């Protein structure tokens, strides 16, 4: 199956700093990628849809200026958590469909963010 | 908007036995896909099985099978001959069938513990 990677796998940062998380499709091109957030023992909540070459589409309640998304190439999307605070601590997961109309998504291994 | 409901927060089963996880959903769409994803302790999301709503035949993948009842909007997962490696969080998910990219809507999950 298609492979999606994320980097870093875990990061610890101080409150007020910014953190960048990368999501890469390793063996396919992804014009669209999705970013999810998962709190402990909870489900995945869609944050935004990342579109290559255009602006991301954010879900209701997600702050665009807080969670900056850049999809600069067909294999890379980045999520930057700006001015991170302890409440931003969570597990962030990206996914990508392998093609238009493909009825599945491949998930990255996730990034654990801890803000002190 | 779609909703997915998993009414069993936790389930336990002994090795080699069979267990069924429940999922119901609500949608006004007629063309869609349903999924079961597994999230083991590593937190990597793994696709277990997929069902196309227009197919009456229930999907099967080795020890995993579904009971898809479209009229009742029910989509349960049966795991036969349970193995210790099946211990994980299981998420039921819905995706609208579209010509472009569609997002996944997840249920809250069921934690399955397989004991020796």
């Amino acid at each position: 199956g298609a492979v999606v990677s994320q980097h870093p796998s875990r990061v610890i940062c101080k409150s007020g700093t910014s953190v960048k998380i990368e999501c890469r499709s390793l063996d396919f091109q992804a014009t669209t990628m999705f970013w999810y957030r998962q709190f402990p023992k909870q489900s995945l909540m869609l944050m935004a849809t990342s579109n290559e070459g255009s602006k991301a589409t954010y879900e209701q309640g997600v702050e665009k200026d807080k969670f900056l998304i850049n999809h600069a190439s067909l294999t890379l999307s980045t999520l930057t958590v700006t001015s991170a605070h302890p409440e931003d601590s969570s597990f962030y997961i990206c996914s990508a469909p392998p093609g238009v109309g493909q009825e599945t998504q491949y998930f990255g291994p996730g990034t654990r963010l801890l803000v002190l | 908007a779609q909703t997915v409901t998993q009414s069993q927060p936790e389930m336990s089963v002994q090795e080699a036995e069979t267990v069924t996880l429940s999922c119901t959903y609500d949608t006004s769409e007629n063309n869609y896909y349903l999924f079961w994803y597994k999230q083991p302790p590593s937190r990597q999301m793994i696709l277990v099985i997929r069902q196309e709503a227009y197919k009456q035949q229930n999907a099967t993948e080795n020890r995993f099978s579904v009971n898809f009842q479209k009229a009742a909007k029910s989509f349960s997962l049966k795991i036969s001959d349970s193995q210790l490696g099946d211990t994980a969080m299981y998420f039921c998910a819905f995706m609208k069938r579209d010509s472009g990219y569609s997002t996944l809507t997840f249920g809250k999950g069921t934690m399955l513990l397989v004991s020796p």
Side-chain angles (χ1 to χ4, degrees), chain B residues 79-94:
Chain B
I79 305 174
S80 304
D81 186 25
S82 297
Q83 300 176 358
L84 297 178
D86 295 334
T87 292
M89 181 72 85
Y90 286 80
F91 292 102
C92 179
F94 173 101

Side-chain angles (χ1 to χ4, degrees), chain B residues 3-5 7 20-27 32 34 36 51 53 55-56 58 66-77 92 94:
Chain B
T3 59
V4 178
T5 302
S7 58
T20 299
L21 308 184
S22 301
C23 174
T24 59
Y25 59 96
D26 190 23
T27 184
Y32 52 87
L34 294 164
W36 279 98
Q51 175 79 44
K55 290 187 177 180
Q56 293 185 338
N58 289 324
V66 298
N67 182 5
F68 174 48
Q69 302 291 326
K70 190 172 183 179
K73 294 180 180 175
S74 171
F75 184 61
S76 62
L77 174 69
C92 179
F94 173 101

Side-chain angles (χ1 to χ4, degrees), chain A residues 31-32 34 36 38 42-44 46 49 91 93 97 99-101 103-105 107-109 112, chain B residues 33 35 37 39 42-45 47 50 52 91 95 98-104 106-108:
Chain A
T31 57
T32 297
F34 301 98
Y36 298 85
Q38 185 181 30
Q42 293 190 21
S43 188
L44 281 72
L46 180 65
T49 301
F91 193 66
I93 306 174
V100 177
E103 65 280 6
T104 190
Q105 293 182 20
F107 287 82
R112 188 184 305 273
Chain B
Y33 300 95
F35 305 85
Y37 281 92
Q39 189 179 42
S42 68
R43 302 192 78 171
Q44 171 73 60
M45 294 289 285
L47 176 64
R50 176 180 65 213
E52 290 121 334
F91 292 102
M95 178 190 286
D98 208 334
S99 56
Y101 295 105
S102 293
T103 59
L104 283 165
F106 288 92
K108 290 187 175 182

Side-chain angles (χ1 to χ4, degrees), chain A residues 4 23-25 28-36 46 48-57 69-77 94-102 104-106, chain B residues 99-104:
Chain A
V4 176
C23 177
R24 292 182 185 274
S25 57
F28 66 98
Q29 293 182 334
T31 57
T32 297
M33 292 182 175
F34 301 98
W35 286 97
Y36 298 85
L46 180 65
T49 301
S50 174
N51 302 299
E52 188 268 337
S54 64
K55 292 183 179 180
T57 304
I69 290 174
N70 183 26
H71 197 145
S73 77
L74 289 172
T75 59
L76 173 65
S77 174
C94 69
S95 73
V100 177
Q102 293 290 321
T104 190
Q105 293 182 20
Y106 294 102
Chain B
S99 56
Y101 295 105
S102 293
T103 59
L104 283 165

